[in-house]
Each structure stands twice: as structure tokens, then as C-alpha cells.
Amino acid sequence: MTRRPHSDRPASPPETITAGQVVLRRETTDDAAAVAALIERNLDRLSEFMPWAVAGVADATAQHDRIVASAIAWDCGTEYDYVVVVDDQIVGKCGLPRRIEPGGLELGYWLDAEAEGHGYITEAARALTAAALDLEGIDRVEIHCDAGNVRSAAVPRRLGYELDRTDRVDVVTRGQTGDQMIWVTRGPQS
């Protein structure tokens, strides 16, 4: 991947990214009901590894409020949330929060169970990785997932991320093992 000089690199990623069959689109409050319904349909399996996946989040009002906060975070440059769209249907979410040390972004994702097995999240994660590494000041992207979350860990493997380390963390969901895998990819030197 050829990187632009620092002075030519954007401060934030594109609001819409097309990657094969997948469109990543900055979420809007108009997405609240669809995202809430998707969470509700997948709540049991999401709650296995994701502490945020509790009954109250599968509500359109709660999602509306979260999306409003997400828009502020986007504008402040602290987090970039996307819906994953296939054939004009929201099938999941991806995001790039700045919750790791400077110079890096974490990439997170989840997908509707009915949409699994088609490579959508791999396409989305590949595109978001490239967009993140193109940003001013970003030289690495990390994917964090529990060692027990085999499907999630398969994505960084497919994309050529390297397992940097496994950290011991508190177990807060029923599926977690307490072994948090930290997968890392780095952009070419600027």
C-alpha cells in the first residue's frame, strides 16, 4: 500500500466506503430502529463476548441516543462508527475507536448471524484497515478479541494481522476466557 505524505493525509476516514459487496456508511439517527432490531435479533450471541450487549441497547431510543453521541465522537475524531450494508440492508456494524495509545486505532465489528459466512466482515475490516492507515498520525490498527471468540479471531488472521500478544483481562461476559488477543497490522513507513 502506498501512503500519501503526512501533509496530504486526511484527518478522518471517508463517510462511505465500498468494499466488494459491502458498503460501510457512517451511521445516522435514521439507522436507530434497524440497528436496534439487529441487536435484538442477535443479542444472545453478542452478549457472549460483548459487555455492551444487554437488553436495554436493543431499543430504538437507546440506539438513537448512542448514534447522536457517536456523531459527536466522529466530529471530535475520537471514534468512527459505520453500519455494514449489503443489498441495501444493514447487516452489522464496524468502528474505529481511538482507545489505544497514540498512533493507533482499534477496529471492532459484529455481524448478524444470518449474514455470516459470506466474507462481509472480512471485506469491511480490510477496507477499514486501509482507511485507518491512510489517516494522518495513524501507523497501526489493532483488533482485540477474546481467545474464545473463534469467528472474530479468524478475521485478523485472514487479513494478515499479527498476534502481538495475549493480555489477561477480567471476565465480564459468559463467553470470555479472560485471554484478550491483540492483533496488529502496521502501515508502511511514511
Side-chain angles (χ1 to χ4, degrees), residues 19-40:
Q21 302 175 70
V22 174
V23 174
L24 300 172
R25 178 177 52 73
R26 181 178 175 176
E27 64 183 348
T28 70
T29 54
D30 291 341
D31 298 321
V35 171
L38 199 60
I39 291 170
E40 183 173 14

Side-chain angles (χ1 to χ4, degrees), residues 1 3 9 13 16 18 31 35 37 43 51 64 72 81 87 91 104 120 123 137 149 159 173 180 182 184 186 190:
M1 174 180 159
R3 291 178 73 175
R9 291 168 63 190
T16 303
T18 301
D31 298 321
V35 171
L43 190 59
H64 179 277
I72 294 167
D81 272 346
D87 296 329
V91 298
Y120 301 145
E123 287 180 20
N149 193 341
L159 296 178
T173 68
Q180 181 84 4
I182 313 298
V184 177
R186 288 177 168 53
S190 303

Side-chain angles (χ1 to χ4, degrees), residues 113-188:
E114 294 177 13
E116 287 183 344
H118 302 284
Y120 301 145
I121 282 297
T122 300
E123 287 180 20
R126 180 179 291 115
L128 273 186
T129 298
L133 290 173
D134 195 41
L135 295 177
E136 176 67 35
I138 300 299
D139 62 8
R140 80 181 181 295
V141 179
E142 296 182 5
I143 294 175
H144 299 196
C145 65
D146 189 89
N149 193 341
V150 176
R151 290 189 78 89
S152 189
V155 174
R157 281 189 185 103
R158 280 193 291 273
L159 296 178
Y161 278 63
E162 294 182 15
L163 180 60
D164 183 65
R165 66 189 184 279
T166 301
D167 292 340
R168 235 11 233 159
V169 298
D170 292 338
V171 172
V172 295
T173 68
R174 71 182 189 283
Q176 290 177 323
T177 64
D179 290 327
Q180 181 84 4
M181 302 168 81
I182 313 298
W183 297 86
V184 177
T185 192
R186 288 177 168 53

Side-chain angles (χ1 to χ4, degrees), residues 60-111:
T61 301
Q63 285 305 306
H64 179 277
D65 294 347
R66 184 197 54 76
I67 292 168
V68 168
S70 174
I72 294 167
W74 184 296
D75 293 341
C76 291
T78 58
E79 185 164 8
Y80 307 103
D81 272 346
Y82 292 87
V83 287
V84 179
V85 179
V86 176
D87 296 329
D88 297 321
Q89 296 294 314
I90 296 173
V91 298
K93 289 198 27 65
C94 285
L96 294 168
R98 289 187 192 264
R99 60 178 166 219
I100 57 177
E101 57 194 55
L105 284 171
E106 184 178 340
L107 193 161
Y109 44 82
W110 62 267
L111 191 65

